Amino acid sequence: MENVPPPAHELALIDQELARLDTRRGQLLARRAYLLSAPARPAQTVRPVTAEPSPPAGAQNVLLLLGGVLLAVAAIAFTLVSWGHMGIGGRAAVLTGVTALALAAPVPLLRRGLRSTAEAVAALGLVLTVLDAYALYRVALPDTDGLGYTAAATAVLAALWAGYGTALPDLRGPLPAAVLTAQLPLPLWALATGATPLTIAWALLVTAALDTVAALWAGSRTVRAFAGATAWVTASGTLLAGGTLSVLAETPAEAFRPAVLLLAAAALGLFVARRAGGVALACAVVAGLAGVTAAGGVIRTAVPEDWAVPGYLLCGIALLAAVRTRLARPVVRGLTWAAGAVLSVSVLWALPSVGVALLGGLARVPEIWTGTPAVSWPYQPAAPVVLLVAAGALTAWAYRPLPDAWGEENSLRTPALCGAVALGWAGVLVLPLVLAPAYPVTVAVPLLLTAALLAPAVHPRIPADSPVSVTALCCAGLGSAGGALLSLGTRPATVTALAVLTALFAAATVGAVRAGSRRAVSAALACTAVGYATALVAASSAAAGLPAEHTAVTLLVVPAAVALLSARPRTRPVAMPVEITAAGTALLAVALASRQAPVLALVLALCGVIAAGTAIRPERGKAAGYAAAALFVLATWVRLAASEVSVPEAYTLPVTVPALAVGLLRSRRDPAASSWTAYGPGLAATLLPSLLAAWGDTHWARPLLLGLAALALTLAGARLSLQAPLLLGGTVLALVALHELAPYVVQVVDALPRWLPPALAGLLLLATGATYEQRLKDAQRLRRSLNRMR
């Protein structure tokens, strides 16, 4: 069909268009002359003139796609349904003719610039070739094996489509379709021949190699992308099959065959890594893991089952030899990452044994000092070897010489050294679990490890705050705890181990302080030393047969020693955390003595003495002074309660009177001194025990006298602007009044209807909410008034 107009008509159209252009040119020239002759005007924003948008191509593509799909459906329906109504000649003629027309039609369409239409018709032609192959099988080769015929057909179709796409490079569909179809011939052929899984894996590997060739050297970017994706898929199938066969192999001969496959896949990965820069790292990692799986699988079948992991680990470490080669940096880095992955998995496998070495002694806590044997763990005999070999590999890798061409520092050297320290410590710690030596040796190993790690960590020439030193200190702390738990088998072992640990951490603290280490490091060492000293005193007391309350008294040796040592100038950097740790020891002593009131009073009094001694230091004067006063008062109350004193005022007033006299002298010499410091301890010494006695007294005399005294103190505090008398007196007065009125309140509440208390509570809440702002202002005013008092 001819769409070109006749020459006469076309000439008329051209003349009309030229006339229209001449008219428009005259208009533009006139406008230009006017603008040149017109006076200057302010500049205005010129809006660009945009052309009318062309109709979107999306609708056209959708229509072409739908048309191609409908034609393909029609062709399939014709082949499957209407095929039997025609003779063999007619069938062949129809399919051949339609296919030939569909494949030839894109040529003139491309010449006319109708690329989308050509793509749709070409896609229809490709579908028709598939139907041709199916028709050929149904008519000429019905007895042929289906898988074998499909393998051959897909190979022919892939070659046909590749040639067709090469002949018509403007078409984007045939070549990617050929790449996708080319993935099927070899695996289908292997399945058709009844091959083993290993043969199928080889077929996938050869297919991946062909895809790699296309991905590296194909001229079309689309083909390279499709070939690269299919290469990853088929190579992944090869690795999965090869790895599974290697793991399931039971003899070296069985493991050798998948090992060859995996090594071939590794070689292909290294080849791609050297040729393709974008995926070099990933390919090198996969190649390294494939090589480790191949060699490790053979070693696994040749050694006992418990030693399979060390075999894989040695193969992974062998990859680190690539650092000394002249391979490209991405390749070397990928092989190093693969080695790191193997090392990490091996270490994770050995971690349960480290946990048993550290926490296995907890199982002996209920059987403490019964002479039970040490903890053993025969389930992972290769764990120490794995940990020690991994530590050696990290050390060697950290100090590896880099090629001169790299010109870069090794930024991972410090993490590698930290890992080497931790893994070496873990390997030595696990050795007793496997070797099962005598009990003293089992206990001595973690102690010697602790000493070995503390020595370089506090060495003057080694920075104590470096990552390696901090790692060593952490390992020393964990190992010491494990050794202390292991020593619970016998009394001598426990006392000896705790004494050694106390001495080690005390010496390390001294070394860290003298070396000027970071405060956190020195404080951690000092607090650990105090903790082990506490455990040593407690264990020694228990070993000597002392009861718990007597052990509580001996524990106070630790906070007393800490108070004396903290006063020295050199220990000031760690004084605060050490004193807090010692306070925990004092609390433990109070808890142990709580069953015996007289001993508890003694412990509280001794704690008050220690706090009073600490209050001598200017920086601790205020807090320690308050603590000492509170402890002395508590000790007095406990002592009175233990003696079943019914008239505590006989003992407290002799203390209160001189205390108030001293407070009066203090306030006269220092007018700025707080009333709590001057009068608080003296008043509390009598008021609080009397309050407790009044609450348990059924007579009226003590509550009356105490209430009058509290009222007098409250008025005096308000008159003299003293917080301590005002608050202490007011609190005691309110509690005494509450105690006296409580029975009557209960009677009144019982007599009231059940609904009245909730109603009154609701009214109170409503009133409070309505006047919330005013109440808040009153509270703030009261607080300011109290703050102005001494």
Side-chain angles (χ1 to χ4, degrees):
M1 185 169 119
E2 185 68 29
N3 294 325
V4 180
H9 182 55
E10 187 175 359
L11 285 174
L13 294 175
I14 293 174
D15 292 336
Q16 292 176 3
E17 186 65 22
L18 290 174
R20 191 160 39 251
L21 291 175
D22 290 337
T23 303
R24 181 59 179 164
R25 184 173 183 275
Q27 294 175 353
L28 293 176
L29 289 175
R31 180 63 179 171
R32 180 176 181 275
Y34 170 76
L35 294 176
L36 290 176
S37 61
R41 293 183 177 88
Q44 297 180 356
T45 303
V46 180
R47 297 182 180 178
V49 179
T50 57
E52 291 293 331
S54 59
Q60 176 189 6
N61 294 333
V62 171
L63 294 176
L64 291 174
L65 177 63
L66 290 177
V69 170
L70 291 176
L71 288 176
V73 171
I76 294 172
F78 168 77
T79 304
L80 297 178
V81 179
S82 302
W83 185 260
H85 300 290
M86 301 180 65
I88 186 171
R91 301 171 186 174
V94 169
L95 275 179
T96 303
V98 173
T99 304
L101 288 175
L103 293 177
V107 177
L109 292 174
L110 290 174
R111 290 177 180 175
R112 294 180 177 274
L114 303 175
R115 182 173 179 177
S116 299
T117 306
E119 293 280 0
V121 176
L124 176 62
L126 298 183
V127 174
L128 289 175
T129 57
V130 178
L131 296 177
D132 289 339
Y134 172 73
L136 179 63
Y137 172 73
R138 289 292 303 273
V139 174
L141 304 169
D143 298 329
T144 307
D145 178 65
L147 283 177
Y149 179 80
T150 304
T154 51
V156 173
L157 288 176
L160 176 64
W161 293 352
Y164 183 68
T166 304
L168 297 176
D170 291 336
L171 295 178
R172 294 172 294 183
L175 288 179
V179 171
L180 295 177
T181 307
Q183 311 306 308
L184 301 177
L186 290 178
L188 291 177
W189 168 80
L191 290 173
T193 57
T196 62
L198 184 63
T199 305
I200 298 174
W202 274 108
L204 290 174
L205 180 60
V206 174
T207 304
L210 296 175
D211 292 335
T212 300
V213 173
L216 292 177
W217 289 292
S220 171
R221 181 179 300 177
T222 305
V223 173
R224 290 198 301 270
F226 272 86
T230 54
W232 276 107
V233 174
T234 51
S236 299
T238 302
L239 295 174
L240 180 61
T244 303
L245 294 173
S246 178
V247 171
L248 297 177
E250 297 180 356
T251 63
E254 292 180 2
F256 180 75
R257 290 189 287 270
V260 175
L261 172 69
L262 291 172
L263 290 176
L268 177 63
L270 288 178
F271 174 77
V272 176
R274 296 187 63 181
R275 293 283 182 175
V279 294
L281 180 63
C283 290
V285 172
V286 173
L289 294 177
V292 170
T293 305
V298 176
I299 296 175
R300 179 187 61 82
T301 58
V303 299
E305 183 179 358
D306 295 331
W307 293 87
V309 174
Y312 284 102
L313 177 61
L314 292 176
C315 296
I317 292 174
L319 293 178
L320 296 177
V323 177
R324 299 179 180 272
T325 63
R326 295 187 177 275
L327 294 174
R329 269 184 289 178
V331 178
V332 174
R333 190 176 292 113
L335 294 177
T336 304
W337 283 20
V342 175
L343 188 145
S344 300
V345 173
S346 302
V347 170
L348 288 176
W349 173 83
L351 279 184
S353 60
V354 181
V356 172
L358 289 175
L359 304 176
L362 287 175
R364 304 302 180 190
V365 172
E367 304 173 358
I368 185 172
W369 295 349
T370 58
T372 54
V375 180
S376 62
W377 182 256
Y379 305 103
Q380 289 181 322
V385 176
V386 169
L387 294 171
L388 293 176
V389 170
L394 285 179
T395 304
W397 185 81
Y399 289 103
R400 74 194 190 283
L402 293 174
D404 295 335
W406 284 35
E408 63 179 10
E409 292 291 334
N410 184 9
S411 59
L412 298 178
R413 175 169 296 174
T414 298
L417 289 177
C418 293
V421 171
L423 292 177
W425 161 79
V428 178
L429 188 69
V430 172
L431 276 177
L433 298 180
V434 178
L435 302 179
Y439 180 67
V441 177
T442 302
V443 177
V445 168
L447 302 183
L448 294 176
L449 265 179
T450 301
L453 291 173
L454 288 177
V458 297
H459 196 276
R461 296 184 180 180
I462 301 177
D465 53 353
S466 65
V468 178
S469 297
V470 172
T471 303
L473 289 177
C474 294
C475 293
L478 292 175
S480 65
L485 291 174
L486 288 175
S487 68
L488 297 178
T490 61
R491 287 182 174 85
T494 303
V495 175
T496 303
L498 293 176
V500 170
L501 292 174
T502 301
L504 287 176
F505 279 94
T509 302
V510 174
V513 172
R514 288 181 177 178
S517 302
R518 186 177 294 182
R519 181 175 297 181
V521 175
S522 302
L525 291 171
C527 292
T528 306
V530 172
Y532 281 124
T534 302
L536 174 61
V537 174
S540 302
S541 301
L546 296 179
E549 56 271 14
H550 293 173
T551 301
V553 178
T554 59
L555 282 177
L556 295 180
V557 174
V558 176
V562 169
L564 292 175
L565 293 175
S566 298
R568 302 183 62 183
R570 287 188 177 182
T571 60
R572 295 294 173 83
V574 297
M576 177 64 75
V578 171
E579 288 172 353
I580 294 175
T581 307
T585 304
L587 290 176
L588 176 61
V590 171
L592 291 176
S594 59
R595 294 183 179 180
Q596 295 289 335
V599 180
L600 178 59
L602 175 61
V603 169
L604 291 172
L606 292 176
C607 291
V609 172
I610 296 172
T614 306
I616 299 175
R617 294 160 50 191
E619 69 276 10
R620 299 284 188 268
K622 188 174 183 180
Y626 289 151
L631 289 169
F632 283 137
V633 171
L634 285 175
T636 302
W637 296 345
V638 173
R639 181 67 257 185
L640 293 175
S643 301
E644 298 181 355
V645 174
S646 60
V647 186
E649 292 83 1
Y651 298 90
T652 59
L653 285 176
V655 177
T656 297
V657 173
L660 293 177
V662 172
L664 180 61
L665 294 176
R666 170 70 184 276
S667 63
R668 288 183 177 180
R669 292 183 180 180
D670 184 10
S674 172
S675 61
W676 291 100
T677 304
Y679 307 110
L683 294 175
T686 295
L687 288 177
L688 298 182
S690 299
L691 179 63
L692 294 176
W695 270 64
D697 196 348
T698 57
H699 300 284
W700 58 271
R702 177 180 281 113
L704 178 59
L705 295 176
L706 182 60
L708 292 175
L711 177 60
L713 286 175
T714 304
L715 295 176
R719 177 69 178 82
L720 301 175
S721 298
L722 298 177
Q723 280 189 13
L726 176 63
L727 294 181
L728 285 175
T731 303
V732 171
L733 180 61
L735 292 176
V736 170
L738 178 62
H739 175 265
E740 295 301 315
L741 293 177
Y744 303 102
V745 173
V746 172
Q747 293 178 3
V748 171
V749 171
D750 290 339
L752 293 176
R754 296 294 180 90
W755 57 267
L756 187 58
L760 293 176
L763 291 174
L764 178 62
L765 292 177
L766 289 176
T768 303
T771 60
Y772 176 77
E773 187 175 0
Q774 184 60 38
R775 299 289 81 78
L776 185 61
K777 292 180 179 179
D778 295 340
Q780 293 175 351
R781 189 180 301 109
L782 177 60
R783 185 184 63 180
R784 288 193 296 268
S785 300
L786 290 176
N787 290 335
R788 285 196 294 267
M789 295 182 179
R790 289 191 296 118

